[in-house]
Amino acid sequence: HRLCSTSPPFLSKTSASRSASTLVVAEHEGGSIKAQSLSAVVAATSLGDDNSVSLLLAGYGSSLLQAAERAATCHPSISQVLVADSEKFANPLAEPWAKLVQLVQQKGGYSHVIATSGSFGKNILPRAAALLDVSPVTDVVEVNGPTQFVRPIYAGNALCTVRYTGANPCMLTVRSTSFPVPPLAADSKSNGAPISHVDLSTLDEDSIGKSRYIKLSSEDTERPDLGSARIVVTGGRGLKSAENFKMLEKLAEKLGAAVGATRAAVDAGFVPNELQVGQTGKIVAPDLYMAFGVSGAIQHLAGMKDSKFIVAVNKDADAPIFQVADYGLVADLFEVIPELLEKFPEK
Ligand code: FAD
C-alpha cells in the first residue's frame, strides 16, 4: 500500500530550497567512515542536482583525523569534510553531538541534515532537530527531490509519501539498506575534498548534558556487522537455548555470515540484544537471510523482509515466515542445522 499525505493548503509553500546544501552527520570507526554513513551521502545525492554535501565527523585524536582524510576521497559527491576534534566527542554521547549539529547548522545554514537510522542517528538527529526547532522526517526509504520522501509506517506494512513543509533545515534519518553504495568507477573517485576544523569555542561547557559514558560492551567477533552483512543467519525461540545458538554461530562462521535473532530469543536470554532483527531491532537487507525456528511475526518481518533471498526452516507448515520465504523447509531445525554443518565445507 502507498498512502499519500498532502500538505494542508495553507502550508503549500515549503522553505526547503531546490538547490540543496546538505550536512551528513557521519560515523567513523578505526580510522574509516562507516559504510552506513556513505548511504546517507547516496541519499543526499537525490535531494537536488546542484547539492553540495558536507560531511561532519566528530571524535578525538588521531583516528578521527585518519577517518577525515579517508572520507575526503571516498565519494565524489562530498564537497567538504568538517572535523570536530574534542574530548567531548571521545565517546558517542548524544547530547554534545546534538549541540554540535546545532552549532554547525547555524554557521552553515544547510537546507538538509541527514544521518542513517541506526542507533547513532536515531539518538542524535531528533535531539538536534528539537534544538533547531524543526520536526525530523525519520526512517526514509526513498528520496524524491528536496522535500518529498517515502517512509514505512505500520511496522513496514504500508509506505507513506510525505512532503516536508517546515522551516530549514529539513532533517532526515535514512535507512542505509535502501540507499546501497554502488562501487565507484576508478575514474569517478574524488580527488580529495577540503578538510576544515569546526570552531568549537562557542560550544557550551555544559553540552555534555546529563548522561555519562560508562563503558562500551560489544561482542568481540570476527563475523561481519549485522547491519551490513551479505548473509544473515537468524535464530528464533525454536532454538530453545543459548547453548543451541552455538550451532548457528558455527554455521555463520562457515558461511561468513552475521548472526541475528528474534526478540523472543533475545528476551529469553539466548543472545544479546544487539543481535535483534526487527521493528525494534536492526533493519537488515542481506543477499541471503536464513531463518531457523522463527515464526515470522510482523515485527520481525519489518526488519528483514527486504532481504533478496529468504530461506526459512520451521516445523510448523503454517508459520507466517513461509509467506515471505523464497525457499521454505518444513522440518526440525535440530536435524537441518547439523546436516548443513556437515555439508558446508570448512572455511
Ligand atoms: P515464536 O513466535 O515463539 O516462534 C518460534 C517458532 O519456532 C515457531 O514458529 C515454531 O514452529 C518454530 N519451532 C519450534 N521448534 C522448532 C524446531 N525444532 N524446528 C523448527 N522450527 C521450530 N520481534 C522481533 O523478532 N523483532 C523485533 O524487533 C520485535 N519488535 C517488537 C515490537 C513490539 C512493539 C512488539 C509487541 C513485539 C515485537 N517483537 C519483535 C516480538 C514479535 O511479536 C514476536 O513475538 C517474535 O518475533 C517471535 O519470535 P520467534 O519467532 O522467535 O518466536
Side-chain angles (χ1 to χ4, degrees):
H1 305 283
R2 189 174 280 246
L3 304 180
C4 265
S5 107
T6 45
S7 52
F10 56 90
L11 279 179
S12 60
K13 258 189 105 161
T14 168
S15 53
S17 62
R18 199 146 261 293
S19 80
S21 64
T22 306
L23 180 69
V24 170
V25 183
E27 271 181 283
H28 62 97
E29 191 177 56
S32 290
I33 172 172
K34 284 199 178 175
Q36 288 96 319
S37 294
L38 271 184
S39 297
V41 175
V42 172
T45 56
S46 308
L47 288 168
D49 293 337
D50 51 354
N51 184 11
S52 79
V53 178
S54 300
L55 200 80
L56 175 61
L57 286 174
Y60 187 44
S62 57
S63 82
L64 167 68
L65 300 178
Q66 198 182 11
E69 270 161 30
R70 287 191 179 149
T73 54
C74 73
H75 200 283
S77 303
I78 299 171
S79 53
Q80 79 170 316
V81 178
L82 301 171
V83 175
D85 188 0
S86 161
E87 221 176 335
K88 287 191 176 108
F89 308 116
N91 301 309
L93 282 178
E95 285 93 340
W97 259 97
K99 291 247 180 173
L100 172 67
V101 174
Q102 179 192 24
L103 176 82
V104 174
Q105 167 58 26
Q106 282 168 344
K107 280 191 184 159
Y110 298 94
S111 62
H112 295 78
V113 180
I114 308 189
T116 42
S117 11
S119 49
F120 171 83
K122 282 183 185 169
N123 209 359
I124 292 161
L125 218 84
R127 287 169 199 267
L131 293 172
L132 292 161
D133 203 18
V134 293
S135 284
V137 182
T138 56
D139 245 354
V140 169
V141 293
E142 207 177 298
V143 173
N144 297 322
T147 55
Q148 194 159 300
F149 312 106
V150 178
R151 61 188 298 275
I153 54 171
Y154 305 129
N157 281 298
L159 290 171
C160 179
T161 302
V162 294
R163 186 137 61 88
Y164 181 72
T165 57
N168 269 351
C170 169
M171 299 184 78
L172 311 170
T173 59
V174 297
R175 279 200 185 172
S176 56
T177 48
S178 303
F179 299 95
V181 184
L184 291 178
D187 58 354
S188 67
K189 283 243 158 70
S190 159
N191 290 329
I195 300 174
S196 18
H197 283 257
V198 180
D199 174 8
L200 300 171
S201 57
T202 54
L203 203 65
D204 305 348
E205 263 320 301
D206 70 348
S207 66
I208 291 288
K210 290 185 177 146
S211 7
R212 200 158 46 85
Y213 182 82
I214 296 175
K215 66 170 182 177
L216 169 73
S217 50
S218 165
E219 289 267 291
D220 193 12
T221 149
E222 303 266 288
R223 284 193 297 273
D225 174 58
L226 179 56
S228 52
R230 290 184 51 240
I231 306 178
V232 174
V233 175
T234 287
R237 186 158 26 206
L239 261 291
K240 297 202 166 58
S241 72
E243 191 54 34
N244 292 335
F245 248 87
K246 297 218 168 80
M247 285 195 302
L248 267 199
E249 286 165 15
K250 184 88 188 118
L251 185 61
E253 263 159 45
K254 287 199 161 191
L255 294 171
V259 173
T262 63
R263 177 156 145 186
V266 169
D267 287 350
F270 302 164
V271 283
N273 170 279
E274 68 198 43
L275 299 192
Q276 186 179 318
V277 171
Q279 186 188 336
T280 43
K282 298 220 164 95
I283 310 283
V284 300
D287 292 342
L288 173 63
Y289 189 88
M290 300 177 86
F292 296 90
V294 172
S295 60
I298 183 174
Q299 296 89 353
H300 185 76
L301 301 187
M304 47 62 75
K305 68 178 165 41
D306 291 333
S307 305
K308 294 193 187 63
F309 274 97
I310 300 173
V311 175
V313 178
N314 195 307
K315 64 180 185 187
D316 173 8
D318 295 326
I321 190 77
F322 289 129
Q323 286 164 21
V324 297
D326 297 286
Y327 296 98
L329 184 60
V330 181
D332 187 335
L333 67 90
F334 293 106
E335 287 167 17
V336 175
I337 297 178
E339 210 174 318
L340 286 175
L341 283 173
E342 209 181 287
K343 291 201 167 134
F344 282 124
E346 216 50 68
K347 236 181 54 165

